Amino acid sequence: MSSYFDYFCENVNSNKAACSDKILGICYSMCPQTEVTLREKEGLVHVLEVFGPERKLVKCYSRSAADSNMAIPSILRPYNVLRNTVDYLVLDVTRRADVPTSTIYDFVNDRLRAVRQDMTIQRLPPEQCVQLLEPMIRFYVYFGYKLCEQPLSDYDPVLNQKYLLECMKWFLSCYENIQQAEDNTNINDISTSLSSLEINNRYLKKLTCDRELMESLYILCNLDDLHPLYRYFKLPKDIKSNRAVKLAYKIAIANLKGNYAQVCNMLSQLCPLTYCAISVYLPTIQRRALQVLSHGYNSKQLTVPTAVVRQWLRFPSDANVIDICKYYGLHAEGPTVRFCKADFKTDVTTHQPRKLFLHEKSLKLDVENIFTYNTEK
């Protein structure tokens, strides 16, 4: 299954989705017993599935093959089990501190892919899909930020972006199908009920369903794409008037116009997840801004204070400004930077994102808050 979202779109309105031969899972544990037996026998139990003397296995993702049948009810988990599995993965497993963060990411990502696989095979309705997809979107955005400084051998940002966009498009498509099926009053009732869902978890927290946040993330995770902006104009009035969605739109427009200083100036207004999303894109903004400055302030004598460049483009320190400017071939020493368009290197790759800049300390970027907070309505 190359794309769960594509498969969903092809089948959501088909008569097959409503016919009596629809496949319903009857596996009421997070991992089918056949897989548990096999993996324990072959020594394939993951370190994150071991808790002292206890083991808590979660179904692995497996690629479909021509000679395999994956539509077997006994190995498919119904919605309630899938929901409990997602809750467990994002609220419990991501807290583990005894293994590297990249190991946690690889494990949770694999198990979430298995969840999406079960969702697709069973053709779960949109109302159930959105509840399962939102925690996944938060996971990919959050860990995309947490692992942004990791080498490619430990974390692949391109693959993470692929999974993120797949989940986002699926989520938004589900909401569109819900809107088409119900009137506005019922949609508001659905949104309210989704936002108040309680999970059966020892932390007694709620995994929320926040469409406004998802619309904001869709814009900020695709700043080089015009489609999210076209989508914005078609959104219902109450969604477009939401503070987080409007802010994301303003940032996208400023970026489109090349007003990178304005983009950076608005970053302090972001909530935790939208902050994480824009952080991994900030190096691209900084690179483009430095190139613009190389033309606008082109001079062999005049300089710009390093502190001013740091403030304009939200670099974490003056030292970081100097390092990045030198990386792009600009002359930067001590308190000043000299911009010269002939010196700017256009053939080097964009510098790697960094954590711990802007206003991270004032945001709650802990796991518990990331997966449970709601944006202001």
Side-chain angles (χ1 to χ4, degrees):
M1 297 178 188
S2 58
S3 172
Y4 302 117
F5 171 65
D6 291 341
Y7 188 86
F8 170 81
C9 289
E10 291 171 3
N11 288 276
V12 68
N13 293 319
S14 68
N15 292 329
K16 294 181 180 179
C19 66
S20 58
D21 62 349
K22 182 178 178 180
I23 301 167
L24 297 175
I26 58 173
C27 173
Y28 295 102
S29 60
M30 291 195 295
C31 188
Q33 187 56 48
T34 53
E35 182 179 325
V36 172
T37 303
L38 175 64
R39 288 173 56 199
E40 287 184 338
K41 179 181 177 181
E42 299 296 331
L44 298 176
V45 178
H46 197 280
V47 63
L48 289 170
E49 296 173 311
V50 179
F51 297 84
E54 298 182 4
R55 293 185 176 186
K56 201 168 184 177
L57 274 66
V58 183
K59 183 179 179 180
C60 292
Y61 170 77
S62 59
R63 296 182 181 279
S64 58
D67 59 345
S68 66
N69 182 12
M70 305 181 70
I72 303 173
S74 62
I75 65 173
L76 294 174
R77 297 160 292 180
Y79 165 71
N80 287 338
V81 178
L82 291 175
R83 179 181 161 192
N84 288 335
T85 301
V86 172
D87 295 349
Y88 167 71
L89 290 171
V90 301
L91 288 178
D92 284 39
V93 176
T94 54
R95 290 172 171 271
R96 291 279 292 267
D98 55 331
V99 296
T101 305
S102 58
T103 301
I104 295 175
Y105 172 83
D106 289 339
F107 173 80
V108 176
N109 173 47
D110 178 86
R111 275 36 177 192
L112 290 180
R113 293 183 70 191
V115 170
R116 296 199 293 277
Q117 196 171 52
D118 282 9
M119 292 165 60
T120 304
I121 296 173
Q122 295 177 87
R123 300 170 188 161
L124 294 185
E127 293 82 2
Q128 294 179 351
C129 287
V130 293
Q131 298 174 42
L132 296 171
L133 289 167
E134 172 157 340
M136 299 185 193
I137 294 170
R138 293 187 183 228
F139 169 80
Y140 289 120
V141 172
Y142 180 55
F143 276 85
Y145 170 75
K146 285 198 72 173
L147 296 170
C148 67
E149 296 179 352
Q150 296 292 318
L152 289 176
S153 58
D154 294 334
Y155 165 72
D156 187 344
V158 175
L159 205 54
N160 183 75
Q161 182 74 357
K162 174 181 177 291
Y163 296 141
L164 170 61
L165 293 182
E166 178 183 295
C167 292
M168 275 186 173
K169 291 178 179 180
W170 191 350
F171 177 94
L172 297 176
S173 177
C174 285
Y175 250 113
E176 288 174 355
N177 279 280
I178 294 172
Q179 284 184 315
Q180 291 173 2
E182 303 286 344
D183 58 36
N184 291 333
T185 302
N186 288 338
I187 285 295
N188 291 334
D189 293 341
I190 291 173
S191 297
T192 302
S193 65
L194 294 182
S195 298
S196 62
L197 288 171
E198 298 205 3
I199 63 172
N200 188 13
N201 184 275
R202 62 190 178 92
Y203 298 110
L204 301 178
K205 284 288 183 177
K206 299 176 183 178
L207 287 183
T208 60
C209 198
D210 189 338
R211 182 187 176 183
E212 290 81 1
L213 176 59
M214 296 300 105
E215 295 285 359
S216 304
L217 287 172
Y218 184 54
I219 294 173
L220 295 177
C221 290
N222 298 276
L223 286 176
D224 289 328
D225 189 351
L226 291 177
H227 181 266
L229 299 181
Y230 294 142
R231 177 185 173 81
Y232 172 83
F233 291 111
K234 299 178 182 178
L235 291 174
K237 274 188 177 181
D238 60 322
I239 303 294
K240 281 200 293 187
S241 62
N242 176 267
R243 187 193 69 85
V245 179
K246 286 197 298 184
L247 177 60
Y249 173 74
K250 288 178 181 178
I251 290 175
I253 292 298
N255 178 70
L256 188 65
K257 292 180 177 179
N259 193 343
Y260 304 117
Q262 184 182 2
V263 171
C264 293
N265 189 49
M266 289 188 283
L267 300 190
S268 59
Q269 303 174 46
L270 295 171
C271 68
L273 274 168
T274 50
Y275 163 78
C276 290
I278 200 71
S279 293
V280 297
Y281 186 78
L282 189 57
T284 300
I285 295 174
Q286 291 169 335
R287 175 188 177 133
R288 292 173 179 172
L290 289 174
Q291 188 169 8
V292 170
L293 290 171
S294 296
H295 285 73
Y297 289 88
N298 180 45
S299 174
K300 293 184 178 180
Q301 289 83 31
L302 300 179
T303 60
V304 177
T306 303
V308 173
V309 178
R310 172 175 57 81
Q311 182 180 3
W312 281 346
L313 303 181
R314 290 299 190 268
F315 284 102
S317 65
D318 288 358
N320 186 240
V321 174
I322 293 171
D323 290 342
I324 299 304
C325 286
K326 286 183 176 180
Y327 175 76
Y328 290 117
L330 301 174
H331 185 273
E333 295 292 344
T336 61
V337 177
R338 188 173 72 237
F339 290 101
C340 180
K341 61 182 181 182
D343 293 339
F344 191 89
K345 296 179 180 178
T346 58
D347 57 343
V348 297
T349 58
T350 302
H351 61 282
Q352 194 171 8
R354 289 191 59 181
K355 296 191 295 181
L356 301 175
F357 56 84
L358 192 60
H359 62 305
E360 178 173 333
K361 292 182 180 179
S362 65
L363 292 171
K364 292 183 179 179
L365 292 182
D366 57 285
V367 167
E368 184 173 312
N369 183 61
I370 281 291
F371 290 107
T372 60
Y373 83 91
N374 264 30
T375 53
E376 297 179 9
K377 302 299 182 184

